[in-house]
Structures are given as C-alpha cells and as structure tokens.
C-alpha cells in the first residue's frame, strides 16, 4: 500500500524534478480550475497537451501524457473525455483514473517523486476519497497539495 501525504501548499512549489499531476479532458482545453493555472504557468506544456488531444482525441482516455518542463514533469491524466456539462460520470472518471495512474507509473522509469492536487475532486465532481483510494492502491507514494 502506498503512502498518500496531504500538505497545505501550492502544487507548483513541488521540488524541482518532481512529476506534478493533474486530471485532464481529451478535448485539449485547460480553461478553468487548476488546469487554467497549468496553462498559464506551463504554456509550452499546454501546447504539447493540446496537440496530443487534437491528434488522438478520446483515444487518450485512461492514459497519461508526461511533458518535461524546466522545473517539473507535467503529468496529464486523461480521466474524462470532456468538461463542463459534458464531463464523464464519476464511475467512468474513476475507471479512467485507475488506468491513467497505471500508465503514469509505467512511464515513470526514473522513479521521480509524485506530487498532485486533489485530482478529479474539483470540476470533475468526483469525491476525493474515491480518487485517494486509487492513489493508495498503486503502491506508490504521493504528496497531495490542498490549497
């Protein structure tokens, strides 16, 4: 069982060289919530994410895209096909999260530290306890930032 440690703070202050994780849609939109902050802080990563979405669309669901930046590696967990009124149902998001986390772990060959916000619990409306249980089941350690 993994260790999930929650701290107060800003995800973008995670140690240099860490993977910083957030949940994404497959439409190529980081328009609100923490995704909007990612788009502002990591515009180059946003462009890579958007290009992947335009190229592969909903085939990305349940996968992870890792994007190296100057300070962090941005991990885009594709947990919902869409956003807003068209966001996937919580059960589908959790299913996609489970496979996206497995993909993240498989790709993390350098065993970089994993830092995340409370993925899915904001605009995707999934109870945090449900996503947290998936994190614990991975066998990896996570630092969760609670703003």
């Amino acid at each position: 069982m993994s260790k999930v440690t929650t701290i107060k703070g800003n995800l973008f202050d995670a140690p240099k060289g860490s993977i910083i994780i957030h949940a994404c849609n497959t439409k190529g939109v980081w328009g609100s919530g923490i995704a909007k902050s990612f788009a502002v802080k990591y515009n180059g990563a946003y462009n890579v994410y958007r290009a992947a979405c335009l190229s592969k669309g909903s085939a990305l669901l349940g996968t992870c895209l890792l994007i190296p930046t100057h300070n962090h590696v941005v991990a885009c967990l594709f947990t919902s096909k869409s956003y807003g009124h068209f966001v996937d149902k919580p059960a589908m998001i959790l299913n996609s999260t489970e496979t996206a986390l497995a993909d993240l772990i498989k790709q993390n060959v350098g065993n970089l530290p994993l830092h995340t916000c409370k993925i899915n619990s904001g605009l995707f409306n999934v109870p945090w306890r449900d996503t947290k249980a998936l994190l614990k089941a991975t066998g990896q350690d996570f630092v969760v930032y609670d703003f």
Side-chain angles (χ1 to χ4, degrees), residues 44-67:
Y46 171 72
N47 292 333
V48 172
Y49 154 79
R50 183 159 172 74
C53 291
L54 292 174
S55 170
K56 298 179 183 174
S58 62
L60 291 167
L61 192 63
T63 68
C64 175
L65 175 65
L66 293 180
I67 308 167

Side-chain angles (χ1 to χ4, degrees), residues 2 8 18 23 31-32 44 51 67 72 93 103 111-112 114 123 143:
S2 66
K8 292 280 186 200
S18 299
S32 57
I67 308 167
H72 301 108
I93 290 172
D103 191 32
N111 202 29
L112 299 176
L114 302 169
L123 297 173
V143 176

Side-chain angles (χ1 to χ4, degrees), residues 11-21 42 66-75 104 108-115 145:
L11 175 61
F12 301 116
D13 292 333
K16 187 175 182 175
S18 299
I19 295 177
I20 56 173
I21 306 161
Y42 295 106
L66 293 180
I67 308 167
T69 71
H70 60 283
N71 285 328
H72 301 108
V73 176
V74 173
L104 164 63
N108 187 12
V109 293
N111 202 29
L112 299 176
L114 302 169
H115 294 256
Y145 289 75

Side-chain angles (χ1 to χ4, degrees), residues 97-113:
T97 301
E98 186 172 23
T99 59
L101 286 168
D103 191 32
L104 164 63
I105 292 162
K106 179 177 152 188
Q107 291 183 60
N108 187 12
V109 293
N111 202 29
L112 299 176

